[in-house]
């Protein structure tokens, strides 16, 4: 995938991760964490089963969390994208001399569109974006295997205390992103009952976190979703959401 602008490597490659190459890809990630300790991530999930039908900001936080918990508890993660970068915005090149930058796409097996609850419009959108729902149950990653390797990688709390620098996690409107990742790390157990407990888990597992959706409220001229913000800031128009997150954060 050629890069579309100045700065950074001329080529960006998405490393697609399935069950057969999960351990190998995590061995690479673990070797990079000390130098590339910023993590931009984004998830794909089967839409929303429950909502108030009102603008997101109107319900009180306790009700918004109850809806998040109801949705995440009942559905499964489809895909997670992850980009590592350093404090200067450099992506890992893995021995290419800066010619290629790498990002990761993890594909999970638990969701089966033929039997599991989902929002049909969201599935149609994901299909149009290239997700192969027939392939996921056959070749996708077991979330328990992913959780074990993530915990050993140094990216979450289980390894932070033995490393001089902890990872910083960056999302865009990331409440559902963190919720699904917490569900995976908890081996599918339900999310905590209260918002306060949930935020405590986010702090324990991920340490320093940044949500760019909320940061941009204090930035004149920035509004809308990730695509709109990326366009305003001149980020690569044709690149995936995880790369855009890294660029915006930088």
């Amino acid at each position: 995938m050629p890069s579309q602008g100045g700065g950074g490597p001329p080529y960006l490659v998405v490393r697609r991760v399935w069950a057969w190459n999960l351990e190998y890809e995590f061995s690479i990630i673990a070797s990079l964490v000390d130098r590339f300790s910023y993590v931009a991530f984004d998830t794909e999930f089967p839409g929303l089963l429950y909502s108030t039908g009102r603008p997101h900001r109107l319900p009180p936080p306790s009700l918004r969390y109850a809806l998040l918990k109801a949705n995440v508890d009942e559905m499964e993660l489809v895909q997670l994208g992850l980009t590592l970068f350093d404090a200067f915005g450099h992506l890992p090149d893995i021995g290419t001399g800066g010619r290629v930058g790498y990002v990761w796409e993890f594909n999970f097996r638990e969701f089966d569109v033929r039997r599991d609850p989902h929002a049909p419009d969201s599935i149609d959108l994901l299909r149009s974006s290239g997700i192969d729902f027939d392939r996921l149950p056959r070749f996708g990653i077991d979330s328990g295997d992913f959780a074990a390797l993530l915990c050993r990688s140094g990216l979450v709390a289980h390894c932070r205390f033995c490393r001089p620098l902890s990872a910083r996690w960056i999302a865009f409107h990331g409440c559902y992103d963190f919720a699904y990742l917490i569900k995976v790390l908890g081996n599918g157990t339900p999310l905590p009952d209260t918002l306060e407990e949930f935020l405590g888990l986010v702090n324990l597992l991920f340490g320093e976190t940044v949500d760019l959706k909320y940061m941009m409220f204090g930035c004149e001229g920035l509004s809308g979703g990730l695509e709109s913000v990326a366009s305003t800031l001149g980020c690569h128009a044709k690149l995936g959401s995880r790369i855009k997150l890294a660029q915006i954060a930088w």
Side-chain angles (χ1 to χ4, degrees), residues 6-7 16 47 55 61 67 73 84 94 100 106 132-133 143 153 155 164 171 175 179 200 216 242 246:
R16 292 183 168 85
L67 290 170
D73 284 352
L84 301 178
I94 314 181
V100 178
F106 296 89
D132 185 346
F133 286 98
S143 61
S153 71
L155 289 176
C175 52
M216 78 181 195
R242 275 72 70 176

Side-chain angles (χ1 to χ4, degrees), residues 133-146:
F133 286 98
D134 294 327
R135 192 179 186 196
L136 291 175
R138 293 185 294 158
F139 304 111
I141 299 161
D142 179 87
S143 61
D145 294 339
F146 174 88

Side-chain angles (χ1 to χ4, degrees), residues 54-226:
R54 295 185 289 167
H56 180 72
R57 293 189 192 179
L58 292 182
S62 59
L63 176 55
R64 297 206 299 268
Y65 176 70
L67 290 170
L68 178 148
K69 172 177 166 58
N71 281 300
V72 174
D73 284 352
E74 192 161 337
M75 292 187 289
E76 302 294 342
L77 184 61
V78 173
Q79 193 179 80
L80 182 145
L82 184 147
T83 302
L84 301 178
F85 61 107
D86 65 16
F88 302 99
H90 300 136
L91 276 65
D93 61 26
I94 314 181
T96 68
R99 295 187 301 275
V100 178
Y102 290 98
V103 300
W104 284 265
E105 173 192 281
F106 296 89
N107 298 279
F108 293 89
R109 67 183 305 171
E110 279 78 16
F111 177 72
D112 190 330
V113 72
R114 296 165 296 185
R115 66 164 192 260
D116 294 333
H118 61 271
D121 290 348
S122 296
I123 296 302
D124 290 343
L125 180 61
L126 293 177
R127 273 202 177 101
S128 68
S129 300
I131 293 181
D132 185 346
F133 286 98
D134 294 327
R135 192 179 186 196
L136 291 175
R138 293 185 294 158
F139 304 111
I141 299 161
D142 179 87
S143 61
D145 294 339
F146 174 88
L149 290 166
L150 180 64
C151 289
R152 294 203 295 266
S153 71
L155 289 176
V156 293
H158 302 73
C159 290
R160 288 214 315 269
F161 301 107
C162 63
R163 292 180 179 273
L165 295 174
S166 62
R168 283 88 165 172
W169 287 77
I170 299 167
F172 187 93
H173 208 174
C175 52
Y176 275 86
D177 300 317
F178 282 111
Y180 271 103
L181 195 47
I182 285 174
K183 179 179 179 178
V184 168
L185 288 169
N187 293 316
T189 57
L191 293 178
D193 290 330
T194 68
L195 175 60
E196 290 74 20
E197 291 174 293
F198 172 74
L199 293 177
L201 265 183
V202 171
N203 181 65
L204 173 66
L205 292 170
F206 306 105
E208 185 177 342
T209 61
V210 176
D211 193 316
L212 298 178
K213 177 72 172 180
Y214 292 96
M215 287 183 64
M216 78 181 195
F217 291 150
C219 301
E220 185 177 351
L222 294 182
S223 62
L226 181 58

Side-chain angles (χ1 to χ4, degrees), residues 37-70:
S37 58
Y38 292 80
V39 188
F41 83 114
D42 185 47
T43 62
E44 303 292 356
F45 50 89
L48 301 178
L49 296 177
Y50 310 106
S51 69
T52 63
R54 295 185 289 167
H56 180 72
R57 293 189 192 179
L58 292 182
S62 59
L63 176 55
R64 297 206 299 268
Y65 176 70
L67 290 170
L68 178 148
K69 172 177 166 58

